[in-house]
Amino acid sequence: MARRPTLEALLKFLTADMQSAFLAAIQGVVDQVILNEVVEAVIAGDADRAFELLGFNPGALRPITAAIERMYERAGEWAAEGYPRLPGYPFFRFNVRDPRAENWMRDKSSELISRITEDVRTNIRNTLTDGITRGVNPRNTALNIVGRVDRKTGARVGGAIGLTPHQENWTRSFRMALEGNSPSYFDRALRDKRFDGIVQRAIDSGKPLDAATIEKLVVRYRSNALRLRGETIARTESIASQAAAELESARQVLATGAVQQKDIERVWDSAGDRRVRPDHRAMDGQTVGLDEPFKTPDGTLLMHPGDTSLGATAADVVACRCVARTKINWLGV
């Protein structure tokens, strides 16, 4: 029998799978774009038409929803693998097809896809408006939306699709720093540092960078931002999926009669470092029952890390690294 992985190893595996799925979904969308059609939408000033031309829909984003399902099922199986074989009871297996489990996966997928989709709509509108304001050629505006074809790979890179609106705002600020020969360029953590020497020489000489170089650096910046978005989504959703699946696994084993609800409790476990949110650090060790929510110092309720079903906002869950550890008293004493 294969050795059961640690929770840390499980989360690392789930995170990598989710990040790859996100990047593959975005790549699949932009690589299918017919650029001339998007250019026509830009000329018409029609952001809605530009969005439609992307084919950005749940079908195109199936890699993401499939990854959520894989994460949830694997995490539920992982929890079940830690349960002992109890005399008089059948071997327990996590049932991902339980209606409650299916509802969670459906709701989580819908929530994530809706958020990503709305970000795409916002970025298209903002990029189109920015292009008009700055007098950018419609083709270049379209390329800023969907990305430019990398001559080495043949894939589109460096577009606004997949970024958050905040990240796209960072990109516009980054471009302004380059165009203005501003030293603030060096404050941008997502820059491609291999170009630092070129930028420094331009600043020292007072000679502006040429348009092609600026475009290359902006493309690299957006590409790094997209990878960061994928990493953030992956970390957030892997924690949420693992915690939700472990909770569901405990509920399912309760339904078998092998344990009683009073014998199940869950403990909030923070990552224990300086990066932990102060509220989550204060919650470390907080213990609740099976169906009892955790409570932050400000009163926010979460059934588990990453949970938004009880009103927790992005500020409570994005990139959270806390876990909820389930403790079951199998002997009931």
Side-chain angles (χ1 to χ4, degrees):
M1 179 180 295
R3 183 178 179 182
R4 182 174 182 248
T6 64
L7 176 58
E8 290 72 20
L10 173 69
L11 288 172
K12 183 177 181 180
F13 172 80
L14 300 180
T15 299
D17 186 30
M18 185 68 201
Q19 183 175 15
S20 295
F22 170 79
L23 294 176
I26 298 302
Q27 196 67 59
V29 168
V30 297
D31 280 349
Q32 297 303 315
V33 165
I34 299 176
L35 182 61
N36 288 341
E37 293 181 348
V38 179
V39 172
E40 290 175 2
V42 169
I43 292 172
D46 193 339
D48 290 337
R49 176 58 179 162
F51 175 82
E52 291 173 2
L53 290 169
L54 295 179
F56 205 90
N57 55 48
L61 300 183
R62 176 57 185 162
I64 295 175
T65 57
I68 288 175
E69 293 169 8
R70 288 195 301 273
M71 288 194 301
Y72 186 80
E73 182 170 18
R74 179 65 193 103
E77 293 171 343
W78 177 88
E81 289 165 5
Y83 297 163
R85 182 69 182 267
L86 299 177
Y89 292 93
F91 182 76
F92 177 76
R93 291 180 173 83
F94 180 70
N95 180 16
V96 75
R97 294 278 72 95
D98 182 281
R100 189 170 48 222
E102 290 192 323
N103 286 341
W104 188 90
M105 290 186 292
R106 184 192 62 242
D107 292 346
K108 172 55 68 174
S109 294
S110 177
E111 173 193 347
L112 180 57
I113 294 305
S114 294
R115 187 165 75 245
I116 294 172
T117 300
E118 185 53 37
D119 286 346
V120 169
R121 287 185 178 276
T122 299
N123 281 348
I124 290 175
R125 288 195 298 269
N126 291 347
T127 304
L128 199 156
T129 299
D130 179 67
I132 293 173
T133 301
R134 297 194 301 118
V136 177
N137 178 286
R139 181 180 177 82
N140 284 336
T141 295
L143 290 171
N144 287 336
I145 292 173
V146 303
R148 290 159 171 80
V149 175
D150 185 305
R151 293 181 180 179
K152 293 182 179 180
T153 66
R156 287 197 178 277
V157 296
I161 304 305
L163 304 184
T164 68
H166 283 306
Q167 287 178 322
E168 186 54 20
N169 284 337
W170 299 345
T171 301
R172 280 190 280 274
S173 177
F174 179 75
R175 182 187 291 277
M176 291 175 62
L178 289 171
E179 292 175 343
N181 263 10
S182 171
S184 66
Y185 158 87
F186 294 100
D187 298 330
R188 320 294 168 135
L190 295 177
R191 74 187 190 278
D192 188 331
K193 295 180 181 179
R194 292 174 297 178
F195 291 87
D196 284 3
I198 294 175
V199 175
Q200 186 62 61
R201 286 192 292 273
I203 293 173
D204 292 343
S205 68
K207 182 179 180 181
L209 292 166
D210 62 86
T213 299
I214 289 175
E215 206 58 62
K216 181 183 293 185
L217 268 64
V218 169
V219 165
R220 298 291 178 86
Y221 186 91
R222 280 205 186 100
S223 295
N224 288 340
L226 184 64
R227 282 190 287 273
L228 176 62
R229 176 83 190 279
E231 180 181 345
T232 301
I233 286 177
R235 288 181 175 178
T236 302
E237 301 306 332
S238 62
I239 285 286
S241 296
Q242 184 279 323
E246 185 166 336
L247 173 59
E248 175 58 25
S249 184
R251 287 169 171 165
Q252 289 183 16
V253 79
L254 174 67
T256 69
V259 296
Q260 298 183 49
Q261 186 159 342
K262 66 179 180 61
D263 296 319
I264 304 175
E265 62 182 20
R266 299 178 301 122
V267 182
W268 189 282
D269 187 358
S270 80
D273 57 33
R274 294 181 179 179
R275 294 165 54 199
V276 175
R277 293 169 170 84
D279 278 1
H280 291 189
R281 185 181 301 113
M283 295 166 67
D284 189 54
Q286 184 179 139
T287 302
V288 299
L290 176 64
D291 288 317
E292 180 184 357
F294 293 99
K295 181 183 290 187
T296 69
D298 68 2
T300 299
L301 302 178
L302 305 94
M303 286 304 299
H304 53 74
D307 176 50
T308 57
S309 66
L310 300 178
T313 66
D316 297 298
V317 302
V318 171
C320 174
R321 295 173 296 126
C322 302
V323 297
R325 300 189 183 273
T326 302
K327 299 172 65 177
I328 301 178
N329 179 5
W330 295 100
L331 298 179
V333 294

